[in-house]
Amino acid sequence: DAGVTQSPTHLIKTRGQHVTLRCSPISGHKSVSWYQQVLGQGPQFIFQYYEKEERGRGNFPDRFSARQFPNYSSELNVNALLLGDSALYLCASSQDLNYGYTFGSGTRLTVV
Amino acid sequence: GQQVMQIPQYQHVQEGEDFTTYCNSSTTLSNIQWYKQRPGGHPVFLIQLVKSGEVKKQKRLTFQFGEAKKNSSLHITATQTTDVGTYFCAGVVTSGSRLTFGEGTQLTVNP
């Protein structure tokens, strides 16, 4: 079975631009979460979706938004990119709430 | 907000030595999960602990959840070079809610 797939794997954007990151969870997994990981730090929670409903939002500005589609895939959108948004963005899925998460390989975003 | 703290930040051991990382939460947890991230990789789920005082073992790895459900530990017996990576604990305060990760303990093993 395919794991959690994320696209693109790497991305370079200019300050002020917009970016869309995509995630396909493991088939049958209903919960998808997004995390931001800066080098040397633990993943920081951005969003959690379950059955296409937003269940939680981390301490990130409104420039960050996300959604989950009927097929449970998800998008993370970031507007007006700042240099500080440079990080590894991780998508994780789990079959249900209160289960361990399977992470994708992430999207490495560099803002210049 | 909820905080999850891990110590030590770094640990260097000789192959064959034991290793322990500790995790403490500012609030009582519903459950705690442990993940391993290899250099250049992504977090990989190891285990979930739910019950107060729970102890689980996976080969050379022993995981414990404190009686008050505010702390946890991971102990590796006789480390191997394949154990290299960063170990994260991640706590859940309310059942079904977000995972809050600690900062991780980076383990290096000298052969």
Side-chain angles (χ1 to χ4, degrees), chain A residues 80-109:
Chain A
L81 285 167
L82 302 174
L83 295 179
D85 295 331
S86 296
L88 179 67
Y89 287 85
L90 294 162
C91 174
S93 75
S94 68
Q95 62 185 77
D96 210 323
L97 299 174
N98 298 315
Y99 281 72
Y101 276 91
T102 301
F103 280 81
S105 298
T107 295
R108 174 73 61 189
L109 173 64

Side-chain angles (χ1 to χ4, degrees), chain B residues 44-59:
Chain B
V44 174
F45 174 73
L46 295 176
I47 207 160
Q48 176 175 265
L49 304 171
V50 179
K51 299 176 183 177
S52 169
E54 189 169 16
V55 178
K56 287 188 176 180
K57 293 190 176 184
Q58 289 180 351
K59 298 182 181 178

